[in-house]
Amino acid sequence: MPVVGQRTAPSTPRRRPAPRLAVRESPPRRRGTGRAQNLWPYALVAPAVGGMLYLLVYPLVRAVLISFQDFRLRQLIAGDADFVGLRNYRALLTDPRFWEVVRRTFLFMAVNVVLIMVIATLVALMVERLGRIGRTVVLCSLVLAWAMPVVAATTVFQWLFHSEFGIVNWSLTSLGLDSFDRYPWFANGTAAFAILVTLIVWQSVPFAAITLYSALTTVSPELYESARLDGAGAGRIFRSVTFPILRPIFLLVVSLEVIWTFKAFVQIWVMTRGGPGDATTILPVYAVQTALSSQRYDLGSAASMVTVVLMSGVLVLYFRQMLRQEDETR
């Protein structure tokens, strides 16, 4: 018993044990769940990849096979074509008309690409200097011209240069040029070639101009101001400031224009079908003419494969030249 007046030590309170948290045990992971999750993205894109392979790769492989076969109208119906090796390519490469078409194709491509890039660059520089209203009007006009269907635009150009009802002949005759009264534009090889170049340039400039204008907006204004303070003119500013910065975009646009003009078929086929004579016949038109005129589908496929090889070679040479210039400027 405690003695009266004697202090006792305070009793320490007893600590309650901390409540135990109930830990749920995770259910056992099924085998193969992680593998299924990893394969799920591939399953989602598989239909798109399969459709692309069927629509793009299969026709290419089929055309390659036909180019090595004796494939004419009978083989198209019966389906018993025999392989003949490189006979179709030998017949194609020994045809003088084929090499004339190749020369005309490269000429057609070079004229179009040069005109498209020069005009598109000037339009992009002009749009950059316009006010808000003028810029909006020009860009909307470019988009409308770009959105016009190819066949519709080709038909419009046919009517513009019609020998009797065309507005071009009417305008030239009204200016006193009586020699253009009922002038048959599409009966003259040089005139038909020039009309097709005008049509393709008109259709291609909007895309190139809008792309180059979008790239011009990324150039810092301080660079232009510094160049002007150093006394540089407009041409020197473009060569030393604008073009080096936009070189990758120029490379991309030129590459796309080379592809589009190299395979221009619809405009030529609708307007002239390669005529008059062979004045507007380029490689895609030559391939279709060869396949349809005499049912030589094997020669047409061989011409198509040669077209693909030549176009790829032009792009490879251009890329190498541009990359070499970039390495020299570093």
Side-chain angles (χ1 to χ4, degrees), residues 187-207:
N188 186 297
T190 304
F193 189 90
I195 293 171
L196 283 169
V197 169
T198 304
L199 171 62
I200 293 177
V201 169
W202 179 81
Q203 290 177 326
S204 303
V205 162
F207 168 78

Side-chain angles (χ1 to χ4, degrees), residues 295-312:
Q295 283 79 41
R296 290 300 305 270
Y297 305 106
D298 45 6
L299 287 180
S301 298
S304 300
M305 293 302 102
V306 173
T307 303
V308 172
V309 171
L310 291 176
M311 184 172 60
S312 303

Side-chain angles (χ1 to χ4, degrees), residues 10-316:
S11 59
T12 58
R14 298 177 64 183
R15 295 182 179 178
R16 296 180 179 179
R20 294 183 178 180
L21 298 177
V23 180
R24 294 183 179 180
E25 296 182 358
S26 58
R29 193 172 183 180
R30 296 180 180 179
R31 293 183 178 180
T33 304
R35 185 179 301 174
Q37 291 178 353
N38 293 334
L39 294 178
W40 182 243
Y42 298 99
L44 292 176
V45 301
V49 175
M52 182 188 68
L53 292 177
Y54 180 77
L55 295 176
L56 298 179
V57 178
Y58 174 74
L60 179 62
V61 174
R62 183 63 176 157
V64 172
L65 291 177
I66 292 176
S67 67
F68 291 102
Q69 295 176 334
D70 182 12
F71 201 95
R72 308 191 188 194
L73 185 60
R74 187 182 65 82
Q75 286 78 12
L76 179 64
I77 299 174
D80 55 347
D82 297 327
F83 282 91
V84 294
L86 299 176
R87 190 180 71 184
N88 294 323
Y89 289 95
R90 284 196 297 267
L92 192 69
L93 297 178
T94 55
D95 185 6
R97 178 172 177 253
F98 171 76
W99 292 109
E100 181 67 21
V101 171
V102 170
R103 183 193 65 81
R104 189 180 301 109
T105 302
F106 278 97
L107 175 63
F108 184 79
M109 179 195 67
V111 172
N112 277 285
V113 172
V114 170
L115 289 177
I116 290 169
M117 294 307 300
V118 170
I119 297 175
T121 303
L122 295 176
V123 171
L125 293 172
M126 178 193 69
V127 172
E128 187 189 22
R129 287 162 174 76
L130 290 176
R132 182 177 180 181
I133 298 177
R135 185 183 302 116
T136 303
V137 171
V138 174
L139 290 177
C140 290
S141 302
L142 291 174
V143 171
L144 290 175
W146 185 25
M148 191 171 184
V150 176
V151 176
T154 306
T155 305
V156 169
F157 268 71
Q158 280 183 307
W159 281 104
L160 287 176
F161 291 92
H162 195 274
S163 59
E164 294 187 15
F165 309 107
I167 192 174
V168 174
N169 283 351
W170 177 82
S171 300
L172 295 175
T173 306
S174 300
L175 293 175
L177 301 175
D178 296 332
S179 59
F180 288 97
D181 184 20
R182 297 186 179 184
Y183 183 78
W185 293 93
F186 298 108
N188 186 297
T190 304
F193 189 90
I195 293 171
L196 283 169
V197 169
T198 304
L199 171 62
I200 293 177
V201 169
W202 179 81
Q203 290 177 326
S204 303
V205 162
F207 168 78
I210 293 174
T211 305
L212 294 177
Y213 166 71
S214 301
L216 283 173
T217 58
T218 63
V219 181
S220 177
E222 286 77 8
L223 296 176
Y224 293 140
E225 186 176 354
S226 300
R228 293 190 187 95
L229 291 176
D230 292 338
R236 183 60 183 274
I237 291 175
F238 179 80
R239 293 193 305 270
S240 302
V241 178
T242 306
F243 185 75
I245 296 176
L246 302 184
R247 188 188 298 270
I249 304 299
F250 271 85
L251 173 63
L252 174 63
V253 175
V254 169
S255 303
L256 292 176
E257 297 300 338
V258 166
I259 295 172
W260 289 339
T261 57
F262 210 99
K263 65 182 186 65
F265 169 77
V266 177
Q267 298 92 332
I268 299 176
W269 192 256
V270 172
M271 186 175 291
T272 63
R273 292 185 178 269
D278 283 337
T280 58
T281 300
I282 62 175
L283 279 173
V285 180
Y286 174 83
V288 174
Q289 288 178 344
T290 304
L292 296 182
S293 61
S294 56
Q295 283 79 41
R296 290 300 305 270
Y297 305 106
D298 45 6
L299 287 180
S301 298
S304 300
M305 293 302 102
V306 173
T307 303
V308 172
V309 171
L310 291 176
M311 184 172 60
S312 303
V314 171
L315 292 176
V316 168

